[in-house]
Every structure is written in structure tokens, then in C-alpha cells.
């Protein structure tokens, strides 16, 4: 079974104009930026911040558990360094996804074999989500660009159709 590209079959509203794609947690409220949008922005930012802090505490307890085992300062330093590197990598990857889209991933950011790195670095990914939610709904800029381009194309086609006089010529 093949993968269907969502871009190839855009959704349309009643008059045939391209409909905006919903964003997780925001639906299509990102288009108009109404009260509902701002409430969701605050809720998402707070939720991401709480999840980031909770994840950091979880990792802190894990590190303390290793430190209590008296494995040595080298092991402790390697563990903390590894978590920091994984968090930075996961944060950069998530930021790129939120600003440029998943299709923009290349090199190490697209490498599926680094799944353990993304899992260990979940705090970095959550922090990137939180920081992006302070600027816009995460993924909004990307969705807005796609929607604006589709709308502009639709407007050009509609005005070209409306500008024709008489339609098709008949053959005699």
C-alpha cells in the first residue's frame, strides 16, 4: 500500500478555495488568530513548559541513581554529557521540523537509526516546542506559507476563468 501525499489532494471549502490544514492542538484557529487561538497558545506553551520541567526532573533522578551507584565521576560526566548532547540534537531536529517541515530533514536529522538519541533527548525536543510556541503555534508558519501559496494559485486560476469571454469556441 503506497503513501498518499496530502499535498497532492488539497481540501477545499464550499466555493472551491483551498481549506487550511489543521495543526495539532490548534485546529484551524491559526488562520484567524481569534480568542480561541490565543487561549490555546497559552495552554500549549504552559503544557510544553511543564512537560519540559517534568522531563528534566525525570532525567535528574536517573542521573542521581547512577551517581548513587558510585560508578565513578567519569561515568557520571559521560552520562550528563551524553544527555546534554542528545537533548541538543533532539531540540535542533524538532526546531527544524516545526519551522521548515519534516520533509526538510537531511543528514543526521533524518537518520532513523538515531531513534535512541531522539528518545534520550526528549527534553530538548520539548524545550524547542515550548520556545516555538512562544513565537507562533508550532508549525503555523509552515502551514500558513502552504495555505497562502495554495490560495494565491486558486485566486489566479479563478480570476483567469472569470476573465475569459464566452468560454470555449464551437467548431462548425
Amino acid at each position: 500500500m503506497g503513501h498518499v501525499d496530502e499535498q497532492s489532494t488539497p481540501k477545499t471549502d464550499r466555493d472551491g478555495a483551498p481549506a487550511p490544514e489543521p495543526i495539532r492542538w490548534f485546529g484551524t484557529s491559526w488562520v484567524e488568530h481569534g480568542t480561541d487561538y490565543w487561549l490555546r497558545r497559552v495552554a500549549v506553551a504552559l503544557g510544553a513548559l511543564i512537560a519540559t520541567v517534568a522531563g528534566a526532573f525525570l532525567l535528574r533522578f536517573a542521573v542521581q541513581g547512577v551517581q548513587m551507584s558510585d560508578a565513578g565521576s567519569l561515568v557520571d560526566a559521560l552520562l550528563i554529557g551524553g544527555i546534554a548532547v542528545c537533548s541538543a540534537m533532539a531540540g535542533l531536529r524538532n526546531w527544524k521540523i516545526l519551522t521548515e517541515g519534516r520533509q526538510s530533514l537531511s543528514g543526521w536529522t533524518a537518520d532513523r537509526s538515531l531513534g535512541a538519541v531522539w528518545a534520550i533527548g526528549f527534553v530538548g525536543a520539548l524545550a524547542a516546542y515550548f520556545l516555538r510556541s512562544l513565537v507562533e503555534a508550532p508549525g503555523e508558519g509552515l502551514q500558513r506559507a502552504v495555505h497562502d501559496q495554495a490560495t494565491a494559485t486558486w485566486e489566479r486560476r479563478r480570476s483567469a476563468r472569470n476573465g475569459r469571454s464566452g468560454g470555449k469556441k464551437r467548431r462548425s
Side-chain angles (χ1 to χ4, degrees):
M1 202 164 159
H3 181 279
V4 177
D5 186 13
E6 293 175 350
Q7 300 286 343
S8 63
T9 56
K11 296 176 184 171
T12 59
D13 59 15
R14 285 186 212 150
D15 62 351
E21 290 291 324
I23 297 176
R24 179 182 290 160
W25 312 116
F26 292 90
T28 58
S29 68
W30 60 270
V31 177
E32 298 298 324
H33 284 203
T35 305
D36 188 36
Y37 169 81
W38 292 106
L39 291 174
R40 289 177 186 205
R41 277 271 305 273
V42 169
V44 164
L46 285 175
L49 180 61
I50 290 168
T52 302
V53 170
F57 275 119
L58 179 71
L59 288 176
R60 178 176 174 241
F61 291 135
V63 169
Q64 281 181 335
V66 172
Q67 287 173 339
M68 287 178 15
S69 71
D70 291 327
S73 59
L74 177 64
V75 172
D76 296 343
L78 288 174
L79 177 62
I80 293 169
I83 290 172
V85 168
C86 290
S87 292
M89 289 174 67
L92 288 171
R93 179 178 188 267
N94 201 28
W95 187 270
K96 187 169 179 87
I97 289 170
L98 294 173
T99 57
E100 300 173 24
R102 190 169 295 278
Q103 71 281 358
S104 71
L105 295 179
S106 61
W108 62 269
T109 59
D111 193 352
R112 291 190 177 268
S113 66
L114 294 176
V117 171
W118 311 143
I120 293 167
F122 73 98
V123 171
L126 287 170
Y129 197 87
F130 165 70
L131 292 173
R132 195 64 197 165
S133 70
L134 296 176
V135 177
E136 66 179 9
E140 177 185 348
L142 183 63
Q143 286 294 340
R144 187 169 301 283
V146 168
H147 179 65
D148 288 349
Q149 182 180 16
T151 301
T153 301
W154 177 78
E155 287 287 341
R156 280 193 309 274
R157 288 180 181 165
R158 186 176 75 156
S159 64
R161 279 192 300 263
N162 292 342
R164 292 183 188 151
S165 59
K168 292 183 180 180
K169 292 182 179 179
R170 290 187 180 186
R171 290 188 176 183
S172 333

